[in-house]
Amino acid sequence: MTEPALVYDDVETGEVPVETGFIPLSDPDVTLAEIGAVDAVLRSPRLSSGLLAEEFEAAFAAYVGRAYAVAVPSGTIGLVLALKAYGIGAGDEVVASSYSFRETAHAISLAGARPVFADIDYWSGTLAPLKVEERITPRTRAILAANTNGHPAPWSELRDIAARHGVLLLEDSTEAIGSRYKDRLVGGFGDVAVFDFAQPSLLTCGEGGMVVTDDIDLAVTLRRHRSHRLNERSSVVVSSAASYQAGISDLAAALGLAQLRRIDEIIERRRLVEQLYATHVQSFEGIKPPYIAPDVTEVNWFLYLVHLGTRFTRSSRDAIAEDLRVEQVEAAAYSHPLHLQRHYFDLGYRRGDLLVTEKIADRAVALPFHTHLTDGQIEFIVETMKDASINVGAGAAIY
């Protein structure tokens, strides 16, 4: 019998639990502050093209320490706009990672450029600098590095490579809000950085994202490609560029602002859940322990990943996830590597091209990770997973 999940839906306090048998992979940390912010917008005369989106942009830019922020519907759209602003398109190459839960790298193809996948570091899951440099050609315009599952990429080494080859360094921080590299928040390392606020991000506004930069010319170009303001319809300069009409609503901005004001609280509550997981998984032999690189100051995990041992196969990992779902625990493969998906398969990629990516992806299980999880639920999730690993015949495995 499953432990009941807790859903907080009391409109007076936000703290009265309602029992349900399902434990979701993610569950936004929403309180009366967020509800009140959205309610205020719903009672206002404007739901879109208002001032709240601009307020959200300014607040988020200040949070990550960048000069400019441009709100967008998603991280993918944000990266498309950034690539377009840099003039990256047909005939150009962008080096990226195939290992990701979010598929922000799809933006490279959407912009008309060719994604060139490099392999990842075995421990951190982020791009391996030496593998990146091997992929650079005369057609390379940029390196797109991600802070994978919240773990910052090796930004110092990547910046050196980008400078040495005269290419742009783009930062995908869609999974890593609040993480720090060498004491600096992620979002401050790329020439431009992209965030996404859809679930299971710790800061969520339903659907939405943000592009941040210190380059005023780039910020102006991003805004012109994104959307035109109502009062700019007669502008000859602005209307010379066709926009994507890719802004966010004041509803999404209100929710995002309320979450941003509580971000330290949300991070701390998620850290407590992480500690509970760490306590319970200690008895699960043969799994890869959580890893934090020496230059990484802080990691705020996107999801709680368990990396299974080498005796496990991709099919046994899938069987374990299915056993968890039978017990009403939502679990998933963290990554279906991009280079093995049909679109990229058609570009010539095949299994065996990125050995580390494939090995890690075949054995990574994403478990529920959010602030509403209880100690009892986490114990149940881990024990269920351990039982499932025995059911598939792998037993304890050495990683």
Side-chain angles (χ1 to χ4, degrees):
M1 181 179 226
T2 63
E3 290 262 346
L6 300 179
V7 177
Y8 297 89
D9 69 346
D10 186 282
V11 295
E12 295 295 329
T13 66
E15 295 295 337
V16 177
V18 176
E19 292 191 355
T20 174
F22 179 67
I23 305 177
L25 192 65
S26 68
D27 185 5
D29 191 317
V30 173
T31 66
L32 287 177
E34 286 85 353
I35 295 170
V38 173
D39 180 70
V41 175
L42 288 171
R43 296 174 187 275
S44 74
R46 184 173 293 281
L47 303 183
S48 59
S49 300
L51 297 178
L52 275 178
E54 294 180 13
E55 186 179 345
F56 185 28
E57 289 173 338
F60 195 81
Y63 171 70
V64 297
R66 300 302 291 255
Y68 308 99
V70 180
V72 289
S74 70
T76 299
I77 296 300
L79 185 55
V80 168
L81 296 179
L83 293 170
K84 185 174 179 63
Y86 280 122
I88 296 175
D92 296 326
E93 295 178 349
V94 177
V95 180
S97 172
S98 173
Y99 181 67
S100 176
F101 185 80
R102 288 199 184 281
E103 297 174 345
T104 309
H106 282 333
I108 300 169
S109 290
L110 292 172
R114 181 182 179 86
V116 176
F117 295 120
D119 218 339
I120 59 175
D121 177 74
Y122 177 83
W123 293 101
S124 68
T126 59
L127 279 174
L130 290 177
K131 298 296 184 181
V132 169
E133 194 150 26
E134 290 173 357
R135 297 288 186 172
I136 293 178
T137 74
R139 289 182 293 184
T140 304
R141 291 287 309 281
I143 299 167
L144 171 62
N147 298 308
T148 308
N149 194 43
H151 190 289
W155 291 110
S156 295
E157 293 92 329
L158 292 171
R159 174 56 71 186
D160 288 344
I161 293 170
R164 193 157 54 245
H165 292 275
V167 300
L168 295 163
L169 182 59
L170 312 179
E171 180 178 354
D172 175 5
S173 282
T174 57
E175 301 182 359
I177 296 172
S179 293
R180 293 177 182 269
Y181 175 80
K182 294 185 177 180
D183 292 321
R184 290 175 55 198
L185 279 172
V186 298
F189 300 102
D191 296 299
V192 66
V194 176
F195 291 83
D196 190 281
F197 305 135
Q199 283 183 254
S201 174
L202 64 85
L203 187 160
T204 183
C205 54
E207 297 287 347
M210 198 76 74
V211 184
V212 297
T213 183
D214 293 323
D215 185 337
I216 187 171
D217 292 328
L218 179 66
V220 169
T221 304
L222 283 168
R223 293 183 191 282
R224 289 182 179 174
H225 285 316
R226 178 193 61 180
S227 60
H228 296 162
R229 298 176 183 176
L230 294 176
N231 61 2
E232 293 176 330
R233 288 180 173 176
S234 60
S235 170
V236 175
V237 174
V238 172
S239 62
S240 64
S243 74
Y244 284 82
Q245 289 305 110
I248 65 171
S249 71
D250 275 23
L251 287 168
L255 183 53
L257 263 172
Q259 291 259 286
L260 184 59
R261 290 170 182 145
R262 298 181 51 244
I263 195 164
D264 290 338
E265 173 193 340
I266 294 171
I267 288 172
E268 183 59 31
R269 293 173 70 171
R270 287 170 66 96
R271 191 166 291 128
L272 291 174
V273 172
E274 176 195 340
Q275 291 170 0
L276 291 173
Y277 262 118
T279 299
H280 290 294
V281 299
Q282 285 180 2
S283 61
F284 195 159
E285 296 182 3
I287 64 172
K288 177 183 174 184
Y291 172 80
I292 298 178
D295 286 337
V296 172
T297 312
E298 179 180 343
V299 176
N300 292 307
W301 302 112
F302 183 62
L303 291 166
Y304 194 86
L305 296 191
V306 171
H307 294 271
L308 301 169
T310 54
R311 295 183 189 176
F312 292 90
T313 62
R314 181 175 47 167
S315 60
S316 62
R317 186 275 312 278
D318 293 342
I320 289 171
E322 181 58 31
D323 281 359
L324 286 164
R325 287 191 287 268
V326 167
E327 293 297 328
Q328 296 294 291
V329 176
E330 187 177 11
Y334 168 73
S335 170
H336 295 287
L338 295 180
H339 74 285
L340 300 180
Q341 296 182 27
R342 177 57 188 266
H343 172 69
Y344 303 98
F345 196 81
D346 288 345
L347 294 179
Y349 290 101
R350 296 293 184 269
R351 177 167 283 276
D353 288 346
L354 302 170
L355 293 177
V356 178
T357 294
E358 292 162 20
K359 177 178 180 177
I360 299 301
D362 283 352
R363 296 173 177 85
V365 183
L367 300 179
F369 189 50
H370 50 82
T371 60
H372 297 145
L373 288 169
T374 66
D375 182 50
Q377 288 175 316
I378 294 170
E379 181 180 17
F380 175 77
I381 291 167
V382 175
E383 290 301 318
T384 300
M385 188 173 183
K386 287 163 61 179
D387 291 343
S389 71
I390 295 172
N391 291 339
V392 300
I398 303 303
Y399 204 86

